[in-house]
PDB file of all heavy atoms in Angstrom:
ATOM      1  N   ARG A 288      79.298  98.728 128.545  1.00 95.00           N
ATOM      2  CA  ARG A 288      78.818  99.383 129.768  1.00 95.00           C
ATOM      3  C   ARG A 288      79.259  98.616 131.026  1.00 95.00           C
ATOM      4  O   ARG A 288      79.240  97.384 131.050  1.00 95.00           O
ATOM      5  CB  ARG A 288      77.290  99.446 129.724  1.00 95.00           C
ATOM      6  CG  ARG A 288      76.652 100.350 130.764  1.00 95.00           C
ATOM      7  CD  ARG A 288      75.129 100.285 130.689  1.00 95.00           C
ATOM      8  NE  ARG A 288      74.654 100.398 129.326  1.00 95.00           N
ATOM      9  CZ  ARG A 288      74.467 101.556 128.684  1.00 95.00           C
ATOM     10  NH1 ARG A 288      74.754 102.685 129.306  1.00 95.00           N
ATOM     11  NH2 ARG A 288      74.013 101.567 127.453  1.00 95.00           N
ATOM     12  N   SER A 335      74.441  90.087 119.210  1.00 90.00           N
ATOM     13  CA  SER A 335      73.595  89.484 120.246  1.00 90.00           C
ATOM     14  C   SER A 335      72.793  90.600 120.912  1.00 90.00           C
ATOM     15  O   SER A 335      73.239  91.757 120.939  1.00 90.00           O
ATOM     16  CB  SER A 335      74.442  88.754 121.292  1.00 90.00           C
ATOM     17  OG  SER A 335      75.134  89.689 122.105  1.00 90.00           O
ATOM     18  N   PRO A 336      71.628  90.283 121.470  1.00 91.00           N
ATOM     19  CA  PRO A 336      70.840  91.309 122.169  1.00 91.00           C
ATOM     20  C   PRO A 336      71.609  91.946 123.322  1.00 91.00           C
ATOM     21  O   PRO A 336      71.504  93.151 123.558  1.00 91.00           O
ATOM     22  CB  PRO A 336      69.617  90.528 122.672  1.00 91.00           C
ATOM     23  CG  PRO A 336      69.502  89.355 121.750  1.00 91.00           C
ATOM     24  CD  PRO A 336      70.912  88.996 121.385  1.00 91.00           C
ATOM     25  N   THR A 337      72.399  91.135 124.036  1.00 91.00           N
ATOM     26  CA  THR A 337      73.170  91.669 125.167  1.00 91.00           C
ATOM     27  C   THR A 337      74.211  92.673 124.691  1.00 91.00           C
ATOM     28  O   THR A 337      74.378  93.745 125.288  1.00 91.00           O
ATOM     29  CB  THR A 337      73.861  90.522 125.931  1.00 91.00           C
ATOM     30  OG1 THR A 337      72.883  89.587 126.366  1.00 91.00           O
ATOM     31  CG2 THR A 337      74.623  91.055 127.132  1.00 91.00           C
ATOM     32  N   LEU A 338      74.919  92.329 123.621  1.00 91.00           N
ATOM     33  CA  LEU A 338      75.937  93.236 123.091  1.00 91.00           C
ATOM     34  C   LEU A 338      75.302  94.546 122.647  1.00 91.00           C
ATOM     35  O   LEU A 338      75.793  95.634 122.984  1.00 91.00           O
ATOM     36  CB  LEU A 338      76.663  92.578 121.922  1.00 91.00           C
ATOM     37  CG  LEU A 338      77.667  93.458 121.171  1.00 91.00           C
ATOM     38  CD1 LEU A 338      78.804  93.879 122.088  1.00 91.00           C
ATOM     39  CD2 LEU A 338      78.217  92.728 119.951  1.00 91.00           C
ATOM     40  N   GLU A 339      74.225  94.465 121.912  1.00 86.00           N
ATOM     41  CA  GLU A 339      73.598  95.687 121.399  1.00 86.00           C
ATOM     42  C   GLU A 339      73.024  96.535 122.530  1.00 86.00           C
ATOM     43  O   GLU A 339      72.978  97.759 122.441  1.00 86.00           O
ATOM     44  CB  GLU A 339      72.526  95.313 120.382  1.00 86.00           C
ATOM     45  CG  GLU A 339      73.124  94.673 119.121  1.00 86.00           C
ATOM     46  CD  GLU A 339      72.086  94.310 118.087  1.00 86.00           C
ATOM     47  OE1 GLU A 339      70.900  94.648 118.309  1.00 86.00           O
ATOM     48  OE2 GLU A 339      72.449  93.701 117.069  1.00 86.00           O
ATOM     49  N   ARG A 340      72.624  95.889 123.631  1.00 93.00           N
ATOM     50  CA  ARG A 340      72.093  96.633 124.782  1.00 93.00           C
ATOM     51  C   ARG A 340      73.189  97.368 125.530  1.00 93.00           C
ATOM     52  O   ARG A 340      73.012  98.506 125.973  1.00 93.00           O
ATOM     53  CB  ARG A 340      71.374  95.658 125.722  1.00 93.00           C
ATOM     54  CG  ARG A 340      70.732  96.323 126.954  1.00 93.00           C
ATOM     55  CD  ARG A 340      70.357  95.271 127.973  1.00 93.00           C
ATOM     56  NE  ARG A 340      71.549  94.636 128.545  1.00 93.00           N
ATOM     57  CZ  ARG A 340      71.559  93.403 129.052  1.00 93.00           C
ATOM     58  NH1 ARG A 340      70.474  92.653 129.025  1.00 93.00           N
ATOM     59  NH2 ARG A 340      72.673  92.915 129.556  1.00 93.00           N
ATOM     60  N   ASP A 341      74.364  96.713 125.692  1.00 95.00           N
ATOM     61  CA  ASP A 341      75.422  97.257 126.548  1.00 95.00           C
ATOM     62  C   ASP A 341      76.530  97.981 125.794  1.00 95.00           C
ATOM     63  O   ASP A 341      77.425  98.544 126.411  1.00 95.00           O
ATOM     64  CB  ASP A 341      76.046  96.130 127.376  1.00 95.00           C
ATOM     65  CG  ASP A 341      75.062  95.539 128.380  1.00 95.00           C
ATOM     66  OD1 ASP A 341      74.128  96.264 128.778  1.00 95.00           O
ATOM     67  OD2 ASP A 341      75.213  94.365 128.747  1.00 95.00           O
ATOM     68  N   LEU A 342      76.476  97.979 124.463  1.00 96.00           N
ATOM     69  CA  LEU A 342      77.524  98.620 123.674  1.00 96.00           C
ATOM     70  C   LEU A 342      77.414 100.135 123.767  1.00 96.00           C
ATOM     71  O   LEU A 342      76.363 100.713 123.513  1.00 96.00           O
ATOM     72  CB  LEU A 342      77.416  98.165 122.219  1.00 96.00           C
ATOM     73  CG  LEU A 342      78.436  98.752 121.248  1.00 96.00           C
ATOM     74  CD1 LEU A 342      79.846  98.263 121.590  1.00 96.00           C
ATOM     75  CD2 LEU A 342      78.078  98.379 119.816  1.00 96.00           C
TER      76      LEU A 342
END
Side-chain angles (χ1 to χ4, degrees):
R288 192 183 313 276
S335 72
T337 303
L338 174 63
E339 294 181 5
R340 182 194 67 206
D341 294 334
L342 180 66

